[in-house]
């Protein structure tokens, strides 16, 4: 069964959400001679998501910024170890409608946020793919809402958010992308049962666990997927709270939120 070990007051890391992107270089151990280094001139406003592509040696950076290293990038850019690079023309109006979440998918990157569209890409509302050189639609109509939780593994891409649909498929905020198509994961709960907004997802001990702000009968902010039904995990989280992060560490499921 599941092993439950709550940590109080552990919140989503926000240390990198600044206009200046910096890197930590360690010499001789993690506690000695650490030195921060800038990545060029950084970006001109806040960062929402950082993602490292070890295959192509790229640090993908998404957020509220308009420029990176002096380039117009509109909220989407990557650092190649030497310089900043634009990702097409970026999102429309990144200061107010940035990318919130991202994950590596082979040679591509899946992103989701509050952006109305990626510049010059049809059907790119709120969710889209970057194929390494250009943006691609995630499907007809994009998504109706944002997916803040993402995990890519042998089952495909599992996403969790606050969205009725993606690519025209009704998904009740939980969806999976596999073999080129999207499918719904959950029949319960839906928005008709109350507020259902997910911010995190993890596969733990063979089961998918979702956290967020889940205010429906029988669920308290965190649950595990049993077939197509989300069931409460342990006693849940008391109060009207949010689960922002789910991480496995030393065999235990660690939960952070507010």
């Amino acid at each position: 069964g599941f092993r439950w070990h709550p940590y109080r007051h552990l919140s989503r890391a926000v240390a990198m959400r600044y206009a200046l992107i910096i890197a930590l270089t360690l010499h001789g151990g993690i506690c000695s001679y650490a030195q921060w280094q800038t990545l060029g001139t950084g970006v001109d406003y806040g960062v929402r998501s950082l993602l490292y592509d070890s295959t192509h040696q790229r640090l993908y950076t998404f957020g509220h910024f308009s420029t990176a290293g002096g380039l117009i990038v509109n909220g989407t850019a990557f650092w190649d170890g030497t310089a900043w690079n634009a990702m097409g023309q970026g999102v429309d109006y990144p200061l107010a409608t940035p990318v919130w979440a991202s994950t590596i998918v082979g040679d591509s990157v899946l992103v989701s946020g509050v952006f109305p569209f990626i510049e010059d890409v049809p059907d790119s509302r709120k969710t889209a793919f970057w194929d390494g050189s250009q943006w691609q639609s995630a499907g007809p109509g994009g998504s109706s809402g944002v997916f803040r939780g993402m995990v890519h593994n042998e089952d495909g891409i599992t996403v969790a958010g606050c969205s009725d649909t993606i690519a025209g498929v009704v998904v009740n905020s939980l969806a999976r992308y596999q073999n080129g198509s999207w499918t719904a994961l959950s029949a319960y709960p839906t928005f008709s049962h109350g507020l259902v907004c997910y911010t995190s997802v993890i596969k733990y001990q063979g089961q998918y666990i979702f956290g967020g702000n889940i205010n429906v009968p029988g669920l308290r902010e965190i649950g595990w997927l049993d077939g197509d039904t989300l069931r409460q995990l342990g006693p849940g989280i008391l109060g009207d709270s949010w689960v922002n992060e789910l991480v496995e560490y030393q065999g235990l499921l660690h939960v952070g939120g507010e």
Side-chain angles (χ1 to χ4, degrees):
F2 297 110
R3 301 174 67 191
W4 183 257
H5 188 81
Y7 273 17
R8 298 186 62 192
H9 308 302
L10 178 65
S11 62
R12 177 180 290 271
V14 296
M16 299 305 292
R17 296 179 187 172
Y18 296 97
L20 180 64
I21 305 296
I22 54 179
L24 179 65
T25 302
L26 302 177
H27 302 280
I30 196 160
C31 296
S32 61
Y33 307 110
Q35 182 178 358
W36 290 103
Q37 296 181 342
T38 62
L39 303 186
T41 56
V43 300
D44 65 350
Y45 207 59
V47 172
R48 279 280 184 177
S49 178
L50 288 174
L51 184 67
Y52 182 60
D53 179 354
S54 60
T55 301
H56 300 96
Q57 301 292 298
R58 293 177 173 181
L59 178 66
Y60 286 102
T61 307
F62 306 102
H64 299 271
F65 51 89
S66 295
T67 66
L71 296 175
I72 301 296
V73 297
N74 291 323
T76 66
F78 67 86
W79 174 260
D80 64 10
T82 303
W84 288 101
N85 298 263
M87 299 172 65
Q89 297 187 49
V91 304
D92 181 61
Y93 197 45
L95 291 181
T97 60
V99 171
W100 276 6
S102 58
T103 191
I104 295 288
V105 185
D107 291 329
S108 300
V109 178
L110 175 66
V111 304
S112 189
V114 290
F115 51 88
F117 56 86
I118 301 288
E119 294 286 355
D120 295 331
V121 180
D123 294 321
S124 59
R125 179 188 181 203
K126 292 184 169 62
T127 304
F129 284 99
W130 170 258
D131 68 4
S133 60
Q134 61 184 355
W135 290 103
Q136 305 282 349
S137 168
S143 64
S144 61
V146 182
F147 293 98
R148 290 180 59 182
M150 298 181 176
V151 62
H152 179 223
N153 56 24
E154 68 280 0
D155 299 322
I157 310 167
T158 301
V159 297
C162 194
S163 182
D164 281 325
T165 64
I166 185 168
V169 180
V170 176
V171 296
N172 298 323
S173 297
L174 298 179
R176 177 166 293 150
Y177 184 79
Q178 189 176 42
N179 299 323
S181 62
W182 291 95
T183 57
L185 288 182
S186 174
Y188 178 87
T190 69
F191 287 120
S192 65
H193 298 110
L195 179 63
V196 183
C197 286
Y198 304 98
T199 54
S200 51
V201 55
I202 189 173
K203 189 174 185 180
Y204 175 69
Q205 295 186 0
Q207 300 288 344
Y208 280 93
I209 299 173
F210 301 89
N213 191 7
I214 312 168
N215 294 325
V216 298
L219 288 170
R220 291 178 174 176
E221 323 305 352
I222 189 169
W224 65 282
L225 195 62
D226 180 14
D228 64 357
T229 300
L230 198 70
R231 303 194 184 280
Q232 185 167 293
L233 180 62
I237 308 295
L238 297 179
D240 184 13
S241 54
W242 285 81
V243 170
N244 285 339
E245 201 72 75
L246 298 169
V247 175
E248 182 177 357
Y249 176 65
Q250 294 185 342
L252 296 175
L253 177 64
H254 291 67
V255 179
E258 51 195 272

